[in-house]
Amino acid sequence: MLEPEFLPDDDPRRVEADAARREIEAELARAPVRPARSGLEGVVIILDPGHGGRDLGTMNNGIWEHDYVYDVACRLKQRLDERTAAKVYLTLLDEQTGCAPSQTDKLVANREGTIQTQPPFLARDNGEATIGVNLRWYLANSLFRKERAAGTDPDRVVFLSLHADSRHPSLSGVMVYVPGANHAGKTHGFSSKTYTRFAEVREEQYVTLSSKERIRSEAVSQKLAEEIVRAFQDGKLPIQPYQPVRNRIIRGRSTFVPAVLRGNTVPTKVLVEMVNLSNASDASLLANARERERLAEALFQSLLTHYKVRD
């Protein structure tokens, strides 16, 4: 039940965890993320607002995850569009309202979040949520291939998945997941007609990530995750007190990397649980438009500092 860091130095799990940490540190030392040009020129941000369609995500304290997180994503996109030269993609779009920041605190659950695959996918049944999750990383992979073919540096592409968590009510603050190299698995993909009707799936049905690719991904993702936590701290926003950056989810005896990150070939990829909706104080942040603005600003600043760019 103990995390490896609390085990004796010679415990096999501690030895394995220490070796993995050294590998991550060595990878960043070998090839640091280079600063971007002024205004994030040449940087590509793939924004992934969690859930959508029939799937509203976590619901607690009068707030549901999807629409409120989507509003933060739109506020972040507006900042990137207006204040930088970065190219921004959305994996999901509310085709009824577009992506303009809300003018009110309270939002409407219209269940129109459509994943921007070809053809577009709208989850019309709660059971289709898993399909939507997997189509997000297929779409991200397609966008990544397109950008690589155009000459974009892989380290200049970021996949940013935004969510709100449901933890114990006593817990508060942002928590960021990165793809642990030893937890992500090697090969991912689907062969059923449920998936192959989408162009992005047919482009590359299965992806296999080498050990080197998984180590690099954890290293650069960890760097961005730490910048996000630091930006939340600078913005006086709450932070998960223990391990705010994690390389896998623990559920009982199971450990796994979030599905949207597992088959994702973008090296720099994080899933951000911005708040804990079970905590009333955290929920109030998403419930208020001005606080959603602060969340978006913290995410924006983290991208600037990741690439050592001034606003």
Side-chain angles (χ1 to χ4, degrees):
M1 293 175 66
L2 289 174
E3 285 284 80
E5 66 192 86
F6 298 110
L7 296 172
D9 291 345
D10 60 351
D11 185 280
R13 284 178 55 219
R14 173 71 178 269
V15 171
E16 181 184 24
D18 287 347
R21 175 179 49 78
R22 288 193 295 270
E23 273 189 318
I24 298 304
E25 292 171 353
E27 174 59 28
L28 269 185
R30 181 192 67 80
V33 176
R34 292 182 298 106
R37 294 188 291 272
S38 176
L40 293 178
E41 184 182 350
V43 172
V44 176
I45 312 294
I46 303 174
L47 275 182
D48 177 52
H51 305 276
R54 293 292 303 174
D55 176 21
L56 295 178
T58 293
M59 290 176 276
N60 220 324
N61 285 300
I63 303 296
W64 56 94
E65 183 176 2
H66 170 66
D67 293 282
Y68 288 86
V69 165
Y70 181 75
D71 188 57
V72 175
C74 292
R75 292 172 189 276
L76 176 56
K77 183 177 185 302
Q78 183 182 63
R79 279 169 167 71
L80 290 165
D81 289 342
E82 294 179 356
R83 292 160 58 180
T84 77
K87 182 188 294 185
V88 183
Y89 293 103
L90 281 172
T91 62
L92 176 145
L93 180 67
D94 187 322
E95 297 185 346
Q96 185 180 102
T97 64
C99 195
S102 70
Q103 299 300 310
T104 60
D105 290 343
K106 191 168 180 59
L107 303 178
V108 176
N110 63 8
R111 302 178 187 268
E112 289 295 326
T114 302
I115 297 174
Q116 300 299 287
T117 45
Q118 297 300 321
F121 176 78
L122 176 64
R124 300 186 182 280
D125 181 85
N126 288 333
E128 294 182 324
T130 301
I131 300 170
V133 169
N134 290 314
L135 287 179
R136 293 165 190 265
W137 62 259
Y138 271 118
L139 175 57
N141 291 356
S142 179
L143 295 171
F144 184 56
R145 283 192 295 273
K146 172 184 172 183
E147 290 299 330
R148 291 290 292 120
T152 303
D153 181 342
D155 277 356
R156 291 285 188 270
V157 183
V158 168
F159 178 85
L160 188 61
S161 190
L162 302 182
H163 294 258
D165 212 347
S166 177
R167 286 170 271 152
H168 190 278
S170 66
L171 298 174
S172 172
V174 66
M175 189 161 67
V176 189
Y177 287 105
V178 303
N182 294 331
H183 303 281
K186 297 178 181 179
T187 301
H188 307 275
F190 299 90
S191 59
S192 69
K193 291 181 181 178
T194 299
Y195 290 98
T196 56
R197 66 190 182 92
F198 296 96
E200 292 79 6
V201 177
R202 295 194 299 274
E203 284 176 23
E204 189 174 23
Q205 200 167 324
Y206 290 94
V207 296
T208 300
L209 300 170
S210 68
S211 176
K212 181 178 179 181
E213 288 172 322
R214 285 181 279 123
I215 290 169
R216 178 64 182 173
S217 184
E218 182 174 358
V220 292
S221 300
Q222 174 91 15
K223 179 183 180 302
L224 175 59
E226 290 170 356
E227 297 294 357
I228 291 171
V229 171
R230 191 174 295 115
F232 271 62
Q233 185 175 37
D234 291 344
K236 295 181 171 50
L237 292 162
I239 300 166
Q240 162 76 16
Y242 174 68
Q243 284 191 343
V245 177
R246 303 185 179 193
N247 66 0
R248 82 277 193 216
I249 295 172
I250 300 173
R251 291 288 183 271
R253 294 182 179 273
S254 300
T255 61
F256 56 93
V257 170
V260 77
L261 303 181
R262 280 200 301 267
N264 195 320
T265 56
V266 177
T268 308
K269 53 201 174 198
V270 296
L271 186 152
V272 185
E273 299 282 9
M274 296 183 290
V275 297
N276 175 21
L277 285 184
S278 300
N279 179 288
S281 178
D282 267 24
S284 69
L285 293 176
L286 271 191
N288 186 289
R290 283 177 298 182
E291 299 298 335
R292 294 196 293 272
E293 192 78 3
R294 291 177 61 216
L295 291 166
E297 180 65 19
L299 293 166
F300 177 72
Q301 292 299 329
S302 72
L303 292 167
L304 296 180
T305 54
H306 179 69
Y307 288 113
K308 295 181 171 60
V309 171
R310 289 187 177 183
D311 185 4

